[in-house]
Amino acid sequence: MARTSEEKILEAAQRIFTRFGYEGARMQQIADEAEVNKSMLHYYFRSKKKLFEEVYRDAVVKLMPQLLNLLNADLPLEEKIPKLVRRYITLMRDHPRLPGFIIQELHQNREEWLNFMDNLDFGKPKKFLEQVRRNQEQGKIVKIEPRQLLINILSLCVFPFAAQPMIKYMLKMDDAEFENFLDVRVESLSTFILNAITP
Amino acid sequence: MARTSEEKILEAAQRIFTRFGYEGARMQQIADEAEVNKSMLHYYFRSKKKLFEEVYRDAVVKLMPQLLNLLNADLPLEEKIPKLVRRYITLMRDHPRLPGFIIQELHQNREEWLNFMDNLDFGKPKKFLEQVRRNQEQGKIVKIEPRQLLINILSLCVFPFAAQPMIKYMLKMDDAEFENFLDVRVESLSTFILNAITP
DNA sequence: GTCTATATAACGATAGAC
DNA sequence: GTCTATCGTTATATAGAC
C-alpha cells in the first residue's frame, strides 16, 4: 500500500475501462475501485476523457511495440513464427482484456483515433513483409500475399482473446478449460502456420 | 417509405447500437436516425434495454446459425472449408460491424448474457468437431485438436472484420484497398487452411 | 399512434473548507 | 492533497393532450 493515489486511480481505471468501455465506465465506479474520493480523479486527471486516454495509451504501448519488435526481428521465418506465437500469446494471457479493448474502443471518432495512434508511433511491419516476400522469391515458402500472412498470424493469436466469452460459450469451456486450450494452442498454432506456408 | 415506425426505429437502432454500443448510443440519436419522435421508441419497445436486446438478437441470428449450418453441413472437409470461408466472409462483408458488436457488447453481465444466448439456441459445432476427428483418424488430415482447427478457421475469417480499423491503420489501407484485401483473402485463406491440415 | 411537456435520476465536473 | 456539498447538464422514461 505504498502506492500513491494517482497510481491507485490509474490502475483502477485500467480495470474499469477495459471491462466496461469508455461510455460504460463511471467515474464513481473508478473511485470506489481505487478507494479514493471521486474528486481526486479530477484533481489528477482533470476529466474522464483524459483519464481514458492515459489508459488507452498504456494498453496500446503494452501490446503493439512488442508485436512489431517480434515481427521485424532478425530471425529466419521458421524460428520467428513459433517465437512470435509463444511470446505474444503469453503476453496477452497476462492482459486478456486488452486486445478487445484496443480494437473496439474509441473507433467512433475515426479522425481523432488516427491522430492519437500516430502520436504513439509504434512502427510498421515493413521489415516482416519484405522478409516474407524475399522468402517467397527464394521458394522457401509458398506463394502468399505478405499482408495476408501477417493478418493470418495476427488473427490466430489475437482473436481467441477478443472473442473469449463467445468461444467459451460455443465450446462449453470453463476458465480452467480455456487456459488449457491456450496451453495447447501455443504449440498447435506454430505447427499450423508453418505447415500452411511450407511448400 | 411504406415502412412502419416500428421498422424504422429498429433499423435505426441497428445502425446506432452497432456503431456506438449500448452505453454510447442515445435514444434521441436513434429517434433522429429513424425520423420519429423520441416517445415512439418507448411506445414500441418500452425501454432502451429491450430495444437493444432486439438488435443484439437480430445480430446473432444473422451470423451464428449460418455459421453453424456451414460447419455442420454434409460435405467433405476439402470442399466444406473453401465454401465456408467464401460464404461466411461474403456474409460479413454485408454486415461488417456485427462481428465486433456481437463479441464485445453485453459481456459485462456474464450471467445475463449466457441466459440470453441459451434462449437463442443456435446449435453447437458438434458435427464438425467429429468430422475433423474422423478425418484425422483416417489420416486424411494432420494431427490437430479439432477445437483448435475450428477456432483457427473462425479467427481467420472473423478477426479482419472485428479489427478492421487497426488493420487499415497498420497496413495503411483505405476503404477500397481493404475491400480489395478481402477479395484476395477469400482464395488466399482457403489455400492457407487446406495447406495447413494436409499431411 | 403521435406529439409536447415534464418528471426523475444519474453523470461529470467544480467550489471551497480544511 | 483530500474532503463535502453542490452545480449544470443530460439521459431515460412517463403523463397526458390530441
Side-chain angles (χ1 to χ4, degrees):
Chain A
M1 263 309 183
R3 290 178 302 157
T4 66
S5 289
E6 187 169 0
E7 288 167 339
K8 289 199 289 182
I9 291 170
L10 199 57
E11 289 167 22
Q14 283 166 354
R15 287 191 290 274
I16 301 298
F17 276 134
T18 53
R19 178 149 177 215
F20 298 99
Y22 176 76
E23 297 285 350
R26 298 288 167 250
M27 293 295 266
Q28 183 62 61
Q29 193 183 11
I30 295 172
D32 293 345
E33 177 85 11
E35 294 178 299
V36 300
N37 190 285
K38 183 160 70 86
S39 300
M40 307 305 307
L41 274 61
H42 290 96
Y43 177 78
Y44 284 109
F45 298 95
R46 283 178 57 103
S47 70
K48 182 182 183 183
K49 187 166 185 185
K50 287 191 195 304
L51 177 54
F52 176 83
E53 282 172 355
E54 290 240 6
V55 171
Y56 192 82
R57 185 178 53 72
D58 286 352
V60 173
V61 166
K62 235 173 234 159
L63 290 193
M64 299 302 285
Q66 305 221 40
L67 172 65
L68 269 297
N69 283 344
L70 289 166
L71 279 170
N72 291 331
D74 266 324
L75 274 177
L77 275 185
E78 66 271 19
E79 288 177 42
K80 180 184 287 191
I81 289 173
K83 188 174 174 183
L84 192 157
V85 168
R86 172 175 300 279
R87 298 265 282 267
Y88 208 56
I89 287 184
T90 303
L91 177 62
M92 286 187 292
R93 284 179 92 158
D94 290 334
H95 312 282
R97 283 223 159 81
L98 292 194
F101 178 67
I102 290 173
I103 63 180
Q104 199 68 9
E105 283 295 313
L106 211 74
H107 291 183
Q108 295 104 329
N109 306 301
R110 189 148 194 283
E111 210 66 26
E112 198 182 332
W113 181 77
L114 288 174
N115 260 315
F116 190 85
M117 296 299 285
D118 276 337
N119 287 338
L120 294 182
D121 192 33
F122 48 75
K124 291 280 173 296
K126 202 180 155 197
K127 264 188 77 173
F128 174 80
L129 295 175
E130 281 165 5
Q131 180 181 27
V132 173
R133 197 168 287 112
R134 211 164 42 245
N135 271 262
Q136 206 172 297
E137 285 164 2
Q138 295 169 355
K140 289 184 182 171
I141 65 168
V142 298
K143 189 162 166 291
I144 185 169
E145 216 273 286
R147 296 178 308 173
Q148 298 284 346
L149 176 58
L150 171 61
I151 299 303
N152 289 356
I153 295 172
L154 216 59
S155 303
L156 291 164
C157 291
V158 178
F159 184 77
F161 293 93
Q164 185 177 341
M166 182 62 79
I167 290 173
K168 280 179 176 168
Y169 175 76
M170 273 186 60
L171 299 179
K172 296 253 168 272
M173 290 193 261
D174 58 27
D175 290 355
E177 286 168 326
F178 186 74
E179 290 303 317
N180 193 272
F181 178 82
L182 290 178
D183 286 336
V184 174
R185 189 161 186 79
V186 172
E187 297 305 321
S188 176
L189 257 194
S190 295
T191 310
F192 186 84
I193 298 171
L194 290 180
N195 259 358
I197 62 173
T198 302
Chain B
M1 264 306 185
R3 289 179 303 158
T4 66
S5 288
E6 188 170 358
E7 287 167 339
K8 287 199 292 184
I9 292 169
L10 199 58
E11 289 168 21
Q14 284 166 356
R15 287 191 291 272
I16 300 299
F17 276 134
T18 53
R19 178 149 177 214
F20 298 98
Y22 176 76
E23 296 286 351
R26 297 289 168 251
M27 293 293 266
Q28 184 62 60
Q29 194 182 10
I30 294 172
D32 292 345
E33 177 85 12
E35 294 178 300
V36 300
N37 190 285
K38 183 161 67 84
S39 300
M40 307 304 298
L41 275 61
H42 290 96
Y43 178 78
Y44 284 110
F45 298 94
R46 284 180 57 103
S47 71
K48 183 183 182 182
K49 188 166 185 188
K50 286 189 194 304
L51 176 55
F52 176 83
E53 283 173 353
E54 290 240 5
V55 171
Y56 192 82
R57 185 178 53 74
D58 286 353
V60 174
V61 165
K62 234 173 232 158
L63 289 194
M64 298 302 285
Q66 305 220 40
L67 172 65
L68 270 298
N69 283 344
L70 288 167
L71 280 170
N72 291 331
D74 266 322
L75 273 176
L77 275 185
E78 67 270 20
E79 288 177 43
K80 181 184 285 191
I81 289 172
K83 188 174 173 181
L84 192 157
V85 168
R86 172 175 301 278
R87 298 264 283 266
Y88 208 56
I89 287 184
T90 303
L91 176 62
M92 286 186 293
R93 284 180 91 158
D94 290 335
H95 311 283
R97 283 220 159 84
L98 292 194
F101 178 67
I102 290 174
I103 65 179
Q104 199 69 6
E105 283 295 313
L106 210 74
H107 291 183
Q108 296 103 328
N109 306 300
R110 190 150 193 281
E111 211 66 27
E112 197 182 333
W113 181 77
L114 288 173
N115 261 315
F116 190 84
M117 296 299 284
D118 276 337
N119 287 337
L120 295 182
D121 190 34
F122 48 75
K124 292 279 171 297
K126 202 180 155 198
K127 265 189 77 173
F128 174 80
L129 295 176
E130 282 165 4
Q131 181 182 25
V132 172
R133 199 168 286 113
R134 211 165 40 245
N135 271 262
Q136 206 172 295
E137 286 165 2
Q138 296 169 356
K140 289 185 182 171
I141 65 169
V142 298
K143 189 161 166 290
I144 185 170
E145 216 271 288
R147 295 178 308 174
Q148 298 284 347
L149 176 57
L150 171 61
I151 299 304
N152 289 356
I153 295 172
L154 216 58
S155 302
L156 291 164
C157 289
V158 178
F159 184 76
F161 292 93
Q164 186 176 341
M166 182 62 78
I167 290 173
K168 279 178 175 169
Y169 174 76
M170 274 187 60
L171 298 178
K172 296 254 168 271
M173 291 192 259
D174 59 26
D175 290 354
E177 285 168 326
F178 187 74
E179 291 302 317
N180 194 272
F181 179 82
L182 291 178
D183 286 336
V184 174
R185 188 159 187 79
V186 173
E187 298 305 322
S188 175
L189 257 194
S190 295
T191 308
F192 186 84
I193 299 171
L194 290 180
N195 259 357
I197 62 173
T198 301

